[in-house]
Amino acid sequence: LSHYNFVVAGGGSGGCAVASNLAKHGSVAVVDPADSHYYQPMWTLVGAGIKTTEQSRRRQKQCIPNGTTWLQTSIEGFDPEENSVSLHGAYKDKKITYDYLIVALGLEIRFDKVNGLTETLGKNGVCSNYGAGNADYTWEVLSAVKGGDLLFTFPNGPIKCAGAPQKIMYLADAHLRKAGVRRNCSLTYHTALPAIFGVPKYASVLSSLARKKGCGVETKSNLVEVDGEKKEAVFENLETGEYSTHTFDMLHVGPPCAPLPVYATSPLADSAGWVDVNKHTLQHNKYENVFAIGDCNSCPTGKTAAKVAAESGVLYENIQKLMKGEKLSGSYNGYTSCPLTVGDNKLVLAEFGYDGAILETFPFNQANPMWLTYFLKKEVMPPLYWHGLIKGTWRGPGVFRKLAHLGTV
Ligand code: FAD
Ligand code: UQ1
């Protein structure tokens, strides 16, 4: 039975960020079976033919922080009463124990929750930017469109990067204009939500942008079934309960997402299945030596890499306090960000926290589509991710926000 001071479950965005920092404080095991590590935010640009999947990928070997031990296998269970996790049966250690556990397992994409979708995804014009490699087919379909109906969907329930399902619509619109075929196409965004975006400030800008671009928006409209061969999608109106069938030439699916069973069925989960943490300290509500970061935790805010960056600083501060037996001082404000590509090399940079608090970094109104913020997304964020976020040194733009607003925001 091997023992580590810190076990980090998952070596994605959050796992690498936290493990990098903890390596200075004791033995760290990072458990993750994946060979590749992806910068997922790039997949929106991959779907629009602006970047490639290969540009979003690094070998996991290069990402796992120095000074930590990579256990390349999957976690199969948590026993927080015993301070142990169990590893995949074929692995040499069946179980490892820890002083502190950090859960950073991300979430699960559930294409199977839409009837018929799994069978037809990647064929028949049915695509999604979600999932490694999937965005290649989005671009394959989009670049071949000469006309017809393009549908973009947002699921009924949680999803990581809640902006991604509509970003690709604006990029598609821009591409079709450039290709000279936009007038032959109709574009419609079907969202299960009652509004185009969760934060009113950005929702009003996005609504008028969609209108200006001639993109339809159907709210409370939830994709429930796809027939790839017939090129038909069935939507349920969540208000009236009525079903309607729409034909499509391209269907981009924002998939339902869910907690992974490995933590959802463990003692770490809350009633919805997420790892049950205090939304400010990121410490588990029951097991004080357990923390969680990223998509897997119960913090009621948008699940993004930007959230991971902000959380990583708070988590690191608090775990050091806990080790010293001091009161946890780090407090996460729910910071998350959604860089919404709106076409024409411009971007709406939504940044907000708990209860819709606006937490914009720059001293100008980021709801205005701007070239500067698009440049940040396309050119600055990827190196910031690879050289800052997963190294544990980029802890979000909070410091810059405070400077730019002289401490008022
Ligand atoms: P992940 O980075 O997904 O890592 C989870 C890790 O856990 C993986 O490495 C996996 O292999 C591992 N794992 C899974 N199961 C097990 C197991 N049983 N045992 C061990 N390891 C396991 N965010 C932004 O900030 N801005 C954006 O513009 C943006 N756009 C996005 C666009 C798309 C299309 C997508 C899909 C995401 C986007 N995101 C964006 C979201 C962002 O990528 C995620 O929120 C972020 O990567 C979450 O980090 P994480 O560490 O929680 O999970
Ligand atoms: C961010 O910090 C981050 O993590 C690297 C992202 O993930 C890709 C983002 O999309 C955004 C917008 C931020 C926030 C950073 C700044 C400079 C506003």
Side-chain angles (χ1 to χ4, degrees):
L1 209 68
S2 303
H3 181 83
Y4 297 88
N5 297 121
F6 307 97
V7 166
V8 179
S13 314
C16 284
V18 168
S20 291
N21 286 322
L22 293 178
K24 305 187 249 321
H25 299 270
S27 56
V28 183
V30 182
V31 189
D32 195 315
D35 285 313
S36 295
H37 184 131
Y38 291 91
Y39 175 61
Q40 302 169 38
M42 195 176 275
W43 294 345
T44 294
L45 300 178
V46 174
I50 298 165
K51 300 266 186 182
T52 64
T53 293
E54 206 39 40
Q55 287 174 297
S56 75
R57 191 177 80 86
R58 295 282 184 280
R59 293 154 69 94
Q60 182 66 303
K61 204 159 66 179
Q62 297 166 332
C63 300
I64 299 287
N66 292 334
T68 69
T69 305
W70 179 19
L71 308 182
Q72 193 178 8
T73 186
S74 47
I75 290 180
E76 290 194 331
F78 292 97
D79 189 344
E81 301 286 348
E82 260 196 3
N83 296 320
S84 75
V85 302
S86 50
L87 304 180
H88 184 268
Y91 200 71
K92 54 186 189 299
D93 282 321
K94 301 275 173 278
K95 245 184 198 186
I96 51 176
T97 54
Y98 56 79
D99 299 324
Y100 302 93
L101 170 70
I102 298 89
V103 189
L105 289 176
L107 52 65
E108 188 170 56
I109 294 173
R110 295 290 304 271
F111 293 115
D112 61 299
K113 283 196 171 180
V114 177
N115 291 330
L117 177 56
T118 312
E119 298 87 307
T120 190
L121 184 74
K123 292 192 294 242
N124 305 312
V126 181
C127 56
S128 178
N129 290 343
Y130 285 74
N134 285 343
D136 294 333
Y137 184 66
T138 305
W139 176 236
E140 191 181 319
V141 176
L142 178 60
S143 56
V145 169
K146 299 279 180 287
D149 299 318
L150 289 75
L151 307 180
F152 301 84
T153 73
F154 183 101
N156 186 22
I159 183 167
K160 56 176 155 182
C161 197
Q166 67 179 292
K167 296 174 194 179
I168 186 64
M169 175 168 73
Y170 306 126
L171 294 179
D173 171 84
H175 163 76
L176 297 168
R177 284 177 200 276
K178 229 169 149 186
V181 296
R182 178 64 177 88
R183 74 173 74 84
N184 309 330
C185 302
S186 87
L187 277 63
T188 313
Y189 183 58
H190 286 264
T191 174
L193 297 177
I196 192 168
F197 197 75
V199 182
K201 166 169 177 168
Y202 304 109
S204 67
V205 172
L206 293 166
S207 292
S208 62
L209 272 173
R211 203 174 317 118
K212 251 190 248 159
K213 292 173 191 290
C215 299
V217 178
E218 299 286 338
T219 54
K220 300 183 187 170
S221 182
N222 181 37
L223 177 68
V224 290
E225 192 169 332
V226 183
D227 185 326
E229 278 174 10
K230 286 195 188 150
K231 301 217 163 190
E232 283 178 356
V234 181
F235 293 87
E236 179 188 8
N237 183 306
L238 296 175
E239 193 162 72
T240 62
E242 281 166 19
Y243 292 87
S244 57
T245 302
H246 298 254
T247 56
F248 62 81
D249 294 277
M250 169 172 165
L251 171 67
H252 178 275
V253 180
C257 296
L260 284 160
V262 65
Y263 56 77
T265 60
S266 82
L268 300 177
D270 69 6
S271 59
W274 305 108
V275 180
D276 185 19
V277 296
N278 177 294
K279 71 177 192 175
H280 294 298
T281 63
L282 309 177
Q283 184 182 39
H284 195 272
N285 280 321
K286 181 160 173 215
Y287 303 101
E288 70 160 18
N289 61 339
V290 178
F291 290 79
I293 185 169
D295 295 347
C296 68
N297 77 20
S298 57
C299 295
T301 188
K303 296 182 182 295
T304 64
K307 165 189 190 262
V308 169
E311 286 181 331
S312 80
V314 172
L315 196 157
Y316 182 44
E317 178 179 333
N318 283 342
I319 212 163
Q320 289 177 91
K321 293 280 173 175
L322 184 66
M323 288 188 287
K324 290 189 214 144
E326 293 170 12
K327 191 169 175 287
L328 308 195
S329 51
S331 181
Y332 173 55
N333 59 5
Y335 173 81
T336 190
S337 170
C338 193
L340 291 130
T341 52
V342 295
D344 308 323
N345 299 332
K346 287 186 178 168
L347 188 136
V348 166
L349 184 54
E351 293 188 284
F352 52 96
Y354 289 138
D355 305 313
I358 304 294
L359 297 172
E360 293 186 355
T361 303
F362 299 102
F364 47 73
N365 183 3
Q366 293 174 196
N368 292 329
M370 265 175 301
W371 176 85
L372 174 72
T373 47
Y374 179 73
F375 176 79
L376 274 180
K377 156 97 188 156
K378 183 162 164 275
E379 307 296 346
V380 180
M381 292 302 164
L384 192 61
Y385 181 85
W386 296 117
H387 303 295
L389 192 150
I390 65 166
K391 307 279 186 210
T393 53
W394 172 249
R395 296 166 190 176
V399 196
F400 302 101
R401 177 177 70 246
K402 284 177 192 135
L403 273 174
H405 296 89
L406 305 170
T408 57
V409 183

